[in-house]
Amino acid sequence: MKISEIFAPTLREVPAEAEVISHILMLRAGMIRKAASGVYTFLPLGYRVMKKVIQIVREEMDKKGGQELMLPIIQPAELWMESGRWHVYGDELFRLKDRHGRDFALGPTHEEIITDLVKGDVRSYKQLPLLLYQIQNKYRDERRPRFGLMRGREFIMKDLYSFDRDQEGLDVSYQKMYDAYARIFTRCGLQFRPVEADPGAIGGSGGTHEFMVVADSGEAAIVYCDTCNYAANVEKAEAVPDSGNIAEEMKEMQEISTPGARTIDEVTGFLKVNSESLVKTLIYQTEAETIAAIVRGDREINEIKLQNLLGSLHLEMADERTVREITGAAPGFAGPVGLSEIRIIADSEVMQMRNTITGANKTDTHIINVNPGRDFVPERIADIRLVKAGEKCPRCEGILLEARGIEVGQVFKLGTKYSEAMGARYLDENGREKLMVMGCYGVGVSRTVAASIEQNHDQDGIIWPMPIAPFHAVVVPVSFKDEQQLKLAQQIYNSLNDSGVEAVIDDRNERPGVKFKDADLIGFPLRVIVGTKAVEEGTVEIKHRRTGDVRTVAVTNAVSVIRKIVSDELAESMPSS
Ligand code: ATP
Ligand code: MG
């Protein structure tokens, strides 16, 4: 391709709404354009990258026995009612009506439609296991579409669904996909970490992992062990309870006046104690009830753990009126002692505490020497707190570290959630009817492209890993007026393409500085500079975008040198097994 002909309109100024570097660079390099909030056009260069990621995903799915099909994007509401998700999915589901007034949804994910398909056509154990996948647009009316391709309302996903006879079969399928995902992100040249993730209150039966690209701009917080390979989304990370001061002798409870001291900081300041000796009481509201959740004063509640424990669809902090009604006090003075009207859910660690300080359910008052078990008995005791860096690893003696991650993929054991709701059964060897055991596995293809830029860029632009670069090399004749340079450049460009290197030539009548800037911005891994030396000495310069290394090579060798660099880098990113 000639750069003069590629439809890649570069931009100098980007809209202020572009906050993260991948969004900024894709707009500037002419790879995407916005059509509406969270809806983007992929321009030719951007789409080339997308297609490379798609091809890698496709090869790895096929290698594991996945069969590619294409399910409809427009899905009848009846299927979503059968699974129960028509109501649960909420505003994120794009809904539409046809001319007869029938309800449809634009697929945000395809469990319903594929379960319906498979239940109709799979009868016998002999037809299982079955791994079916597609690569297609997905639609989610996200509350906050942002960061360009990172959180779109229309985006490209690979989704595979596994159907097995039993749990052991599912474990095998899950492992296949886990391994395939590790290969996919390795081949894309990404630094990633699989982490244990939260299956959610309405999730499936078994485990789930998210594949996180490590990047400061990531929306997810993850913790990982400095010693073993434990890694988890903080939503899910297991807490190791501190042993506390359980050995201490219990003292007599006593009310004390704490005028105006509502927050943990105010109370610790007022009483000259540290926050570890306090119990924090938070009043929450679900769709069904009001509850109190308690944690040590220096800890935070993990609302996802709490919501899963309660099995509730909604969970939010109770409003002031409810707090006053339940505790009889202004917010900030709630405590578990005498709080008999509602359930108390205690974090495990609280039970290790002695002679603690809590709110007294009386405005401007706290109680000291409160002893869990003696002075109040929680209805549930469980791990409901947020884990932070510096804490103990739940698997070994190591310490947890913290990082930000971009979720580029997730593997999920669904179990029989959908096969039960929708009646997907098969006949086993003995002619008995059994539920199929399912898994689902998604790769955010367009998000992966954005994530790779978050990890691979510098102040000048994108630095594509070779396997997903839109082109491997750009050939730049330095002087437009020098016909010999142009001719040599043209020859090198032609032979590169003939030898399988994807090359473009910058044939524009522009100053070399402009061409170099654009080449850096777009991020071609290799740049071949054809200048006066090419004509006078028969040499060209090959500049490596990532390392900045410049090699001078004979014109006659240029093609083979470039071909070698490209094939070496492609081979390097290929996992061994
Ligand atoms: P998130 O928590 O980021 O909203 P999710 O857990 O809802 O994502 P899944 O249902 O697991 O997403 O979808 C599979 C993959 O699709 C995700 O791992 C992610 O890479 C990608 N993805 C999900 N939502 C979006 C979106 N709005 N824009 C782009 N990619 C997305
Ligand atoms: Mg997910």
Side-chain angles (χ1 to χ4, degrees):
M1 231 18 241
K2 294 178 180 166
I3 293 258
S4 64
E5 291 172 358
I6 294 182
F7 183 46
T10 53
L11 278 184
R12 248 161 261 287
E13 301 286 329
V14 293
E17 66 172 26
E19 297 168 67
V20 296
I21 196 70
S22 57
H23 190 192
I24 293 170
L25 290 176
M26 289 194 92
L27 287 170
R28 281 187 52 204
M31 296 199 170
I32 57 168
R33 285 293 180 265
K34 178 171 137 178
S37 169
V39 181
Y40 288 85
T41 296
F42 304 131
L43 297 177
L45 284 180
Y47 198 48
R48 280 183 76 93
V49 178
M50 206 73 65
K51 284 188 289 186
K52 290 205 172 169
V53 175
I54 286 174
Q55 187 53 26
I56 290 172
V57 170
R58 181 173 281 139
E59 285 171 17
E60 295 301 331
M61 290 298 105
D62 290 349
K63 214 176 278 172
K64 296 295 182 190
Q67 299 179 58
E68 189 169 2
L69 47 54
M70 190 64 102
L71 299 161
I73 288 172
I74 299 184
Q75 309 183 358
E78 289 75 42
L79 293 181
W80 285 76
M81 289 175 182
E82 242 181 86
S83 72
R85 286 208 291 186
W86 181 254
H87 297 291
V88 175
Y89 219 93
D91 289 340
E92 217 171 286
L93 193 64
F94 269 108
R95 297 162 204 256
L96 64 159
K97 282 187 193 297
D98 72 4
R99 65 171 71 209
H100 308 293
R102 289 191 203 106
D103 287 310
F104 289 85
L106 297 183
T109 174
H110 282 67
E111 283 82 6
E112 281 78 3
I113 208 135
I114 197 145
T115 308
D116 187 60
L117 172 84
V118 169
K119 97 174 181 200
D121 286 291
V122 173
R123 295 255 163 273
S124 154
Y125 70 95
K126 290 180 192 151
Q127 293 165 277
L128 299 176
L130 200 50
L131 304 177
L132 300 172
Y133 78 97
Q134 59 171 350
I135 301 170
Q136 175 202 63
N137 282 359
K138 291 280 181 279
Y139 296 84
R140 294 183 185 180
D141 199 354
E142 297 274 357
R143 183 191 296 270
R144 280 193 75 193
R146 58 181 184 157
F147 300 162
L149 301 190
M150 212 74 94
R151 184 168 296 285
R153 296 197 294 169
E154 175 181 271
F155 58 97
I156 303 179
M157 197 204 286
K158 181 284 302 179
D159 43 329
L160 183 143
Y161 305 86
S162 66
F163 296 85
D164 277 283
R165 299 180 204 177
D166 48 29
Q167 187 65 36
E168 291 73 55
L170 170 59
D171 292 343
V172 173
S173 296
Y174 186 85
Q175 191 60 42
K176 279 186 184 170
M177 285 301 116
Y178 185 101
D179 295 343
Y181 277 30
R183 287 181 59 92
I184 287 168
F185 299 119
T186 303
R187 286 185 62 186
C188 288
L190 293 166
Q191 304 294 320
F192 66 94
R193 225 175 239 288
V195 303
E196 293 182 11
D198 166 55
I202 49 166
S205 63
T208 174
H209 287 85
E210 289 164 341
F211 284 74
M212 295 286 187
V213 162
V214 184
D216 291 338
S217 59
E219 289 184 285
I222 61 181
V223 289
Y224 59 97
C225 179
D226 68 356
T227 308
C228 73
N229 59 11
Y230 179 76
N233 191 317
V234 290
E235 291 178 348
K236 157 84 192 211
E238 297 160 38
V240 179
D242 192 275
S243 53
N245 58 343
I246 187 110
E248 221 172 83
E249 192 124 328
M250 295 191 204
K251 297 185 197 154
E252 201 65 21
M253 268 205 301
Q254 192 187 335
E255 270 190 15
I256 49 166
S257 168
T258 52
R262 295 158 189 268
T263 65
I264 293 290
D265 281 351
E266 286 163 357
V267 178
T268 54
F270 190 86
L271 296 176
K272 306 275 179 294
V273 293
N274 61 29
S275 54
E276 286 168 38
S277 47
L278 264 61
V279 167
K280 185 154 56 177
T281 306
L282 296 158
I283 311 292
Y284 282 97
Q285 188 76 53
T286 74
E287 70 275 13
E289 60 176 335
T290 307
I291 60 118
I294 59 176
V295 280
R296 207 170 79 179
D298 58 328
R299 308 292 199 190
E300 303 296 328
I301 300 265
N302 179 331
E303 293 183 351
I304 291 174
K305 285 183 184 171
L306 181 59
Q307 186 171 351
N308 288 347
L309 186 83
L310 297 170
S312 64
L313 291 175
H314 301 288
L315 178 79
E316 56 182 15
M317 299 286 290
D319 57 19
E320 185 172 337
R321 222 192 72 209
T322 311
V323 173
R324 283 182 186 275
E325 241 171 59
I326 297 281
T327 68
F333 300 97
V337 181
L339 202 64
S340 52
E341 276 181 41
I342 57 172
R343 295 207 284 162
I344 297 171
I345 318 290
D347 180 59
S348 321
E349 206 169 53
V350 170
M351 306 314 284
Q352 311 287 324
M353 299 170 73
R354 286 285 172 271
N355 305 317
T356 69
I357 302 164
T358 71
N361 299 319
K362 214 186 266 183
T363 304
D364 292 339
T365 312
H366 278 78
I367 312 177
I368 59 168
N369 300 331
V370 174
N371 284 283
R374 180 191 74 177
D375 302 325
F376 69 89
V377 181
E379 204 259 344
R380 292 287 292 273
I381 300 163
D383 172 9
I384 55 166
R385 75 175 177 85
L386 211 54
V387 171
K388 294 222 168 78
E391 291 190 35
K392 276 200 197 125
C393 171
R395 299 277 182 280
C396 78
E397 292 304 305
I399 296 295
L400 296 178
L401 304 172
E402 203 162 43
R404 307 291 305 175
I406 301 167
E407 183 198 322
V408 287
Q410 182 162 20
V411 291
F412 206 112
K413 289 184 186 173
L414 289 169
T416 54
K417 177 176 155 64
Y418 292 92
S419 41
E420 199 167 341
M422 303 182 68
R425 297 189 177 81
Y426 70 96
L427 294 176
D428 73 4
E429 294 91 325
N430 306 312
R432 276 192 311 238
E433 222 176 41
K434 287 206 170 132
L435 287 172
M436 294 181 203
V437 182
M438 292 173 58
C440 68
Y441 317 85
V443 171
V445 171
S446 41
R447 187 183 282 182
T448 298
V449 172
S452 77
I453 299 175
E454 293 294 324
Q455 258 185 7
N456 298 283
H457 67 270
D458 61 13
Q459 67 281 2
D460 299 319
I462 304 169
I463 306 174
W464 290 112
M466 194 64 83
I468 60 170
F471 289 92
H472 301 136
V474 57
V475 182
V476 185
V478 173
S479 164
F480 188 77
K481 296 192 186 79
D482 188 324
E483 270 185 30
Q484 273 178 292
Q485 274 185 33
L486 270 182
K487 211 172 126 201
L488 269 176
Q490 187 75 42
Q491 276 169 10
I492 293 172
Y493 159 73
N494 285 337
S495 334
L496 282 174
N497 279 305
D498 289 345
S499 72
V501 173
E502 298 169 16
V504 290
I505 183 166
D506 197 341
D507 60 331
R508 295 173 301 168
N509 183 9
E510 289 281 4
R511 284 178 293 116
V514 171
K515 295 182 183 181
F516 295 160
K517 257 199 154 64
D518 282 348
D520 279 347
L521 173 61
I522 293 168
F524 303 107
L526 296 169
R527 185 201 299 174
V528 190
I529 303 150
V530 185
T532 45
K533 279 192 191 157
V535 180
E536 288 163 11
E537 297 170 19
T539 60
V540 295
E541 283 181 351
I542 300 170
K543 184 169 181 193
H544 195 267
R545 174 73 178 89
R546 185 179 297 276
T547 61
D549 288 348
V550 180
R551 279 168 75 175
T552 304
V553 301
V555 170
T556 44
N557 288 339
V559 171
S560 65
V561 169
I562 292 164
R563 213 175 64 175
K564 177 146 178 16
I565 300 174
V566 171
S567 63
D568 283 354
E569 287 191 17
L570 289 177
E572 255 167 48
S573 67
M574 194 60 92
S576 47
S577 60

